[in-house]
Amino acid sequence: MAEKATETAGRAGPPAHERVYRDLREMILFGALMPGEAVTIQGLVERTGAGMTPVREALRRLTAEGALRALGNRRIAVPVLDRAAVEELTEARLALEPRVAARAALRAGPGDVAALTAIDARLDSAIARGDIEAYLRENHAFHARMNAAAGAPILTAMIETLWLRFGPSLRTVCGQFGTRQLRDMHKDLIAALAARDAGAAAAALEGDVRQGMDLIAAAL
């Protein structure tokens, strides 16, 4: 049987399994798949419009990254974090992300600061209107843009894997507390980048990490 993976033959763009991986990754990060929600492989085939083979390959990658876990009977789910997992993820984030912020402060230019300022403005707007999906997307975009400015692809890849593990729980936090309870701590980071102050950038990012992970712990 010709899988839908062949449907991309002759088309421009990434292969089907890579597109499905990116789609599912966004579903996990931004709350379309909630922690503990069991879904079937066939259900994901229908939701993504892709074939079984690229969906299976994407699920294999995401499971290896810890973003999903197999439940049996062709079902998978985003893991539900317990307190020990939150503590370990917090430790891992604090070991990596402030270092990347410090690197970004030494490398970022006016264009990076302007881009981060624009993202932060959209983030403020999402918080003000209670738009949870927009908040999650803009918050991730802010951190991704800062990581890109650091020029540390290995560290950034490690950080992105961590985000796949705790990101879905931010959706739960927003559902319980609402976006207005989430302080935007990015402005200190932007100021530190503009001043090329590595220590201040690391401190601002550490505060941001602790705030987010404390909220996740409080929602358990």
mmCIF file of all heavy atoms in Angstrom, residues 112-126 134 137-146 184 186 190:
data_model
loop_
_atom_site.group_PDB
_atom_site.id
_atom_site.type_symbol
_atom_site.label_atom_id
_atom_site.label_comp_id
_atom_site.label_asym_id
_atom_site.label_seq_id
_atom_site.Cartn_x
_atom_site.Cartn_y
_atom_site.Cartn_z
ATOM 1 N N ASP A 112 18.659 41.977 17.388
ATOM 2 C CA ASP A 112 18.169 40.962 18.317
ATOM 3 C C ASP A 112 17.324 41.609 19.416
ATOM 4 O O ASP A 112 16.249 41.107 19.766
ATOM 5 C CB ASP A 112 19.343 40.221 18.952
ATOM 6 C CG ASP A 112 20.189 39.473 17.935
ATOM 7 O OD1 ASP A 112 19.628 38.659 17.188
ATOM 8 O OD2 ASP A 112 21.405 39.730 17.892
ATOM 9 N N VAL A 113 17.812 42.724 19.949
ATOM 10 C CA VAL A 113 17.069 43.419 21.005
ATOM 11 C C VAL A 113 15.723 43.914 20.480
ATOM 12 O O VAL A 113 14.692 43.789 21.152
ATOM 13 C CB VAL A 113 17.902 44.589 21.560
ATOM 14 C CG1 VAL A 113 17.076 45.428 22.538
ATOM 15 C CG2 VAL A 113 19.157 44.068 22.257
ATOM 16 N N ALA A 114 15.719 44.436 19.263
ATOM 17 C CA ALA A 114 14.466 44.914 18.673
ATOM 18 C C ALA A 114 13.489 43.771 18.461
ATOM 19 O O ALA A 114 12.280 43.913 18.722
ATOM 20 C CB ALA A 114 14.752 45.623 17.351
ATOM 21 N N ALA A 115 13.988 42.629 18.003
ATOM 22 C CA ALA A 115 13.116 41.478 17.777
ATOM 23 C C ALA A 115 12.528 40.972 19.082
ATOM 24 O O ALA A 115 11.329 40.649 19.164
ATOM 25 C CB ALA A 115 13.897 40.361 17.080
ATOM 26 N N LEU A 116 13.340 40.898 20.118
ATOM 27 C CA LEU A 116 12.857 40.436 21.413
ATOM 28 C C LEU A 116 11.860 41.425 22.009
ATOM 29 O O LEU A 116 10.866 41.020 22.633
ATOM 30 C CB LEU A 116 14.037 40.235 22.362
ATOM 31 C CG LEU A 116 14.918 39.025 22.049
ATOM 32 C CD1 LEU A 116 16.222 39.080 22.837
ATOM 33 C CD2 LEU A 116 14.181 37.720 22.340
ATOM 34 N N THR A 117 12.093 42.705 21.815
ATOM 35 C CA THR A 117 11.160 43.719 22.307
ATOM 36 C C THR A 117 9.800 43.584 21.615
ATOM 37 O O THR A 117 8.744 43.702 22.260
ATOM 38 C CB THR A 117 11.735 45.125 22.078
ATOM 39 O OG1 THR A 117 12.985 45.247 22.777
ATOM 40 C CG2 THR A 117 10.779 46.194 22.582
ATOM 41 N N ALA A 118 9.802 43.307 20.329
ATOM 42 C CA ALA A 118 8.550 43.137 19.591
ATOM 43 C C ALA A 118 7.800 41.894 20.057
ATOM 44 O O ALA A 118 6.573 41.913 20.223
ATOM 45 C CB ALA A 118 8.842 43.058 18.095
ATOM 46 N N ILE A 119 8.543 40.807 20.268
ATOM 47 C CA ILE A 119 7.895 39.582 20.767
ATOM 48 C C ILE A 119 7.307 39.827 22.147
ATOM 49 O O ILE A 119 6.186 39.396 22.455
ATOM 50 C CB ILE A 119 8.901 38.415 20.800
ATOM 51 C CG1 ILE A 119 9.369 38.052 19.393
ATOM 52 C CG2 ILE A 119 8.270 37.187 21.469
ATOM 53 C CD1 ILE A 119 10.533 37.068 19.372
ATOM 54 N N ASP A 120 8.059 40.534 22.995
ATOM 55 C CA ASP A 120 7.587 40.793 24.347
ATOM 56 C C ASP A 120 6.327 41.657 24.339
ATOM 57 O O ASP A 120 5.438 41.472 25.183
ATOM 58 C CB ASP A 120 8.693 41.474 25.156
ATOM 59 C CG ASP A 120 8.386 41.496 26.639
ATOM 60 O OD1 ASP A 120 8.102 40.425 27.204
ATOM 61 O OD2 ASP A 120 8.411 42.589 27.232
ATOM 62 N N ALA A 121 6.223 42.571 23.390
ATOM 63 C CA ALA A 121 5.010 43.387 23.279
ATOM 64 C C ALA A 121 3.812 42.517 22.921
ATOM 65 O O ALA A 121 2.707 42.700 23.456
ATOM 66 C CB ALA A 121 5.207 44.478 22.232
ATOM 67 N N ARG A 122 4.022 41.564 22.017
ATOM 68 C CA ARG A 122 2.928 40.643 21.673
ATOM 69 C C ARG A 122 2.575 39.756 22.867
ATOM 70 O O ARG A 122 1.401 39.414 23.074
ATOM 71 C CB ARG A 122 3.319 39.796 20.464
ATOM 72 C CG ARG A 122 3.537 40.603 19.188
ATOM 73 C CD ARG A 122 3.522 39.725 17.951
ATOM 74 N NE ARG A 122 4.587 38.734 17.950
ATOM 75 C CZ ARG A 122 5.789 38.932 17.423
ATOM 76 N NH1 ARG A 122 6.117 40.107 16.896
ATOM 77 N NH2 ARG A 122 6.700 37.961 17.436
ATOM 78 N N LEU A 123 3.588 39.391 23.645
ATOM 79 C CA LEU A 123 3.353 38.597 24.846
ATOM 80 C C LEU A 123 2.513 39.372 25.853
ATOM 81 O O LEU A 123 1.554 38.825 26.437
ATOM 82 C CB LEU A 123 4.701 38.205 25.452
ATOM 83 C CG LEU A 123 4.702 37.350 26.714
ATOM 84 C CD1 LEU A 123 4.007 36.018 26.449
ATOM 85 C CD2 LEU A 123 6.117 37.106 27.186
ATOM 86 N N ASP A 124 2.837 40.643 26.052
ATOM 87 C CA ASP A 124 2.037 41.483 26.955
ATOM 88 C C ASP A 124 0.585 41.554 26.500
ATOM 89 O O ASP A 124 -0.344 41.501 27.318
ATOM 90 C CB ASP A 124 2.619 42.896 26.996
ATOM 91 C CG ASP A 124 3.915 42.978 27.794
ATOM 92 O OD1 ASP A 124 4.196 42.049 28.566
ATOM 93 O OD2 ASP A 124 4.647 43.974 27.627
ATOM 94 N N SER A 125 0.396 41.676 25.191
ATOM 95 C CA SER A 125 -0.959 41.752 24.647
ATOM 96 C C SER A 125 -1.722 40.456 24.896
ATOM 97 O O SER A 125 -2.906 40.489 25.254
ATOM 98 C CB SER A 125 -0.893 42.060 23.151
ATOM 99 O OG SER A 125 -2.185 42.094 22.580
ATOM 100 N N ALA A 126 -1.041 39.327 24.717
ATOM 101 C CA ALA A 126 -1.690 38.032 24.954
ATOM 102 C C ALA A 126 -2.090 37.881 26.412
ATOM 103 O O ALA A 126 -3.180 37.383 26.728
ATOM 104 C CB ALA A 126 -0.747 36.902 24.540
ATOM 105 N N ALA A 134 -1.798 32.149 22.472
ATOM 106 C CA ALA A 134 -0.869 33.196 22.032
ATOM 107 C C ALA A 134 0.224 33.409 23.068
ATOM 108 O O ALA A 134 1.393 33.616 22.722
ATOM 109 C CB ALA A 134 -1.608 34.496 21.764
ATOM 110 N N ARG A 137 2.751 30.563 22.709
ATOM 111 C CA ARG A 137 3.544 30.688 21.483
ATOM 112 C C ARG A 137 4.553 31.842 21.573
ATOM 113 O O ARG A 137 5.712 31.697 21.186
ATOM 114 C CB ARG A 137 2.620 30.872 20.271
ATOM 115 C CG ARG A 137 1.864 29.603 19.894
ATOM 116 C CD ARG A 137 1.041 29.777 18.643
ATOM 117 N NE ARG A 137 0.375 28.542 18.281
ATOM 118 C CZ ARG A 137 0.937 27.555 17.593
ATOM 119 N NH1 ARG A 137 2.184 27.681 17.167
ATOM 120 N NH2 ARG A 137 0.261 26.454 17.302
ATOM 121 N N GLU A 138 4.111 32.975 22.083
ATOM 122 C CA GLU A 138 5.011 34.125 22.156
ATOM 123 C C GLU A 138 6.079 33.919 23.225
ATOM 124 O O GLU A 138 7.234 34.344 23.048
ATOM 125 C CB GLU A 138 4.221 35.409 22.429
ATOM 126 C CG GLU A 138 3.217 35.780 21.346
ATOM 127 C CD GLU A 138 3.861 36.058 19.989
ATOM 128 O OE1 GLU A 138 5.099 36.154 19.893
ATOM 129 O OE2 GLU A 138 3.095 36.190 19.014
ATOM 130 N N ASN A 139 5.722 33.272 24.326
ATOM 131 C CA ASN A 139 6.718 32.985 25.354
ATOM 132 C C ASN A 139 7.812 32.064 24.800
ATOM 133 O O ASN A 139 9.007 32.305 25.000
ATOM 134 C CB ASN A 139 6.042 32.333 26.565
ATOM 135 C CG ASN A 139 7.008 32.113 27.710
ATOM 136 O OD1 ASN A 139 7.668 33.027 28.176
ATOM 137 N ND2 ASN A 139 7.105 30.869 28.170
ATOM 138 N N HIS A 140 7.408 31.033 24.074
ATOM 139 C CA HIS A 140 8.385 30.145 23.464
ATOM 140 C C HIS A 140 9.195 30.882 22.409
ATOM 141 O O HIS A 140 10.421 30.709 22.313
ATOM 142 C CB HIS A 140 7.686 28.930 22.844
ATOM 143 C CG HIS A 140 8.633 27.954 22.224
ATOM 144 N ND1 HIS A 140 8.978 28.006 20.885
ATOM 145 C CD2 HIS A 140 9.334 26.923 22.742
ATOM 146 C CE1 HIS A 140 9.832 27.053 20.615
ATOM 147 N NE2 HIS A 140 10.071 26.374 21.721
ATOM 148 N N ALA A 141 8.530 31.708 21.614
ATOM 149 C CA ALA A 141 9.238 32.460 20.572
ATOM 150 C C ALA A 141 10.286 33.383 21.175
ATOM 151 O O ALA A 141 11.387 33.540 20.615
ATOM 152 C CB ALA A 141 8.238 33.270 19.745
ATOM 153 N N PHE A 142 9.973 33.992 22.311
ATOM 154 C CA PHE A 142 10.927 34.878 22.971
ATOM 155 C C PHE A 142 12.190 34.110 23.360
ATOM 156 O O PHE A 142 13.316 34.545 23.080
ATOM 157 C CB PHE A 142 10.284 35.503 24.210
ATOM 158 C CG PHE A 142 11.170 36.487 24.923
ATOM 159 C CD1 PHE A 142 11.099 37.837 24.636
ATOM 160 C CD2 PHE A 142 12.075 36.059 25.891
ATOM 161 C CE1 PHE A 142 11.919 38.750 25.290
ATOM 162 C CE2 PHE A 142 12.898 36.953 26.537
ATOM 163 C CZ PHE A 142 12.821 38.308 26.246
ATOM 164 N N HIS A 143 11.990 32.978 24.002
ATOM 165 C CA HIS A 143 13.148 32.191 24.448
ATOM 166 C C HIS A 143 13.927 31.631 23.257
ATOM 167 O O HIS A 143 15.162 31.605 23.282
ATOM 168 C CB HIS A 143 12.690 31.080 25.384
ATOM 169 C CG HIS A 143 12.334 31.565 26.747
ATOM 170 N ND1 HIS A 143 13.220 31.571 27.802
ATOM 171 C CD2 HIS A 143 11.181 32.100 27.231
ATOM 172 C CE1 HIS A 143 12.635 32.074 28.881
ATOM 173 N NE2 HIS A 143 11.391 32.395 28.559
ATOM 174 N N ALA A 144 13.214 31.201 22.233
ATOM 175 C CA ALA A 144 13.895 30.680 21.044
ATOM 176 C C ALA A 144 14.726 31.764 20.373
ATOM 177 O O ALA A 144 15.848 31.511 19.904
ATOM 178 C CB ALA A 144 12.876 30.098 20.068
ATOM 179 N N ARG A 145 14.197 32.987 20.325
ATOM 180 C CA ARG A 145 14.933 34.088 19.691
ATOM 181 C C ARG A 145 16.169 34.456 20.498
ATOM 182 O O ARG A 145 17.229 34.745 19.939
ATOM 183 C CB ARG A 145 14.008 35.296 19.551
ATOM 184 C CG ARG A 145 14.600 36.462 18.749
ATOM 185 C CD ARG A 145 14.806 36.050 17.296
ATOM 186 N NE ARG A 145 15.335 37.120 16.479
ATOM 187 C CZ ARG A 145 16.618 37.497 16.433
ATOM 188 N NH1 ARG A 145 17.505 36.875 17.203
ATOM 189 N NH2 ARG A 145 17.016 38.472 15.647
ATOM 190 N N MET A 146 16.038 34.445 21.815
ATOM 191 C CA MET A 146 17.184 34.720 22.673
ATOM 192 C C MET A 146 18.246 33.637 22.523
ATOM 193 O O MET A 146 19.440 33.925 22.417
ATOM 194 C CB MET A 146 16.717 34.828 24.120
ATOM 195 C CG MET A 146 17.734 35.444 25.073
ATOM 196 S SD MET A 146 18.814 34.273 25.911
ATOM 197 C CE MET A 146 17.770 33.002 26.520
ATOM 198 N N ASP A 184 5.465 38.969 33.467
ATOM 199 C CA ASP A 184 6.396 38.993 32.340
ATOM 200 C C ASP A 184 7.741 39.481 32.866
ATOM 201 O O ASP A 184 7.907 40.656 33.192
ATOM 202 C CB ASP A 184 5.857 39.918 31.246
ATOM 203 C CG ASP A 184 6.853 40.098 30.110
ATOM 204 O OD1 ASP A 184 7.830 39.335 30.066
ATOM 205 O OD2 ASP A 184 6.642 40.987 29.286
ATOM 206 N N HIS A 186 10.575 39.286 31.218
ATOM 207 C CA HIS A 186 11.501 39.372 30.097
ATOM 208 C C HIS A 186 12.148 40.744 29.936
ATOM 209 O O HIS A 186 13.190 40.865 29.291
ATOM 210 C CB HIS A 186 10.774 39.008 28.797
ATOM 211 C CG HIS A 186 10.329 37.584 28.749
ATOM 212 N ND1 HIS A 186 9.330 37.143 27.904
ATOM 213 C CD2 HIS A 186 10.739 36.491 29.429
ATOM 214 C CE1 HIS A 186 9.151 35.848 28.070
ATOM 215 N NE2 HIS A 186 9.991 35.439 28.997
ATOM 216 N N ILE A 190 15.811 41.788 28.400
ATOM 217 C CA ILE A 190 16.036 42.660 27.242
ATOM 218 C C ILE A 190 16.996 43.788 27.604
ATOM 219 O O ILE A 190 17.922 44.105 26.844
ATOM 220 C CB ILE A 190 14.698 43.219 26.730
ATOM 221 C CG1 ILE A 190 13.830 42.088 26.148
ATOM 222 C CG2 ILE A 190 14.931 44.300 25.676
ATOM 223 C CD1 ILE A 190 12.414 42.517 25.804
#
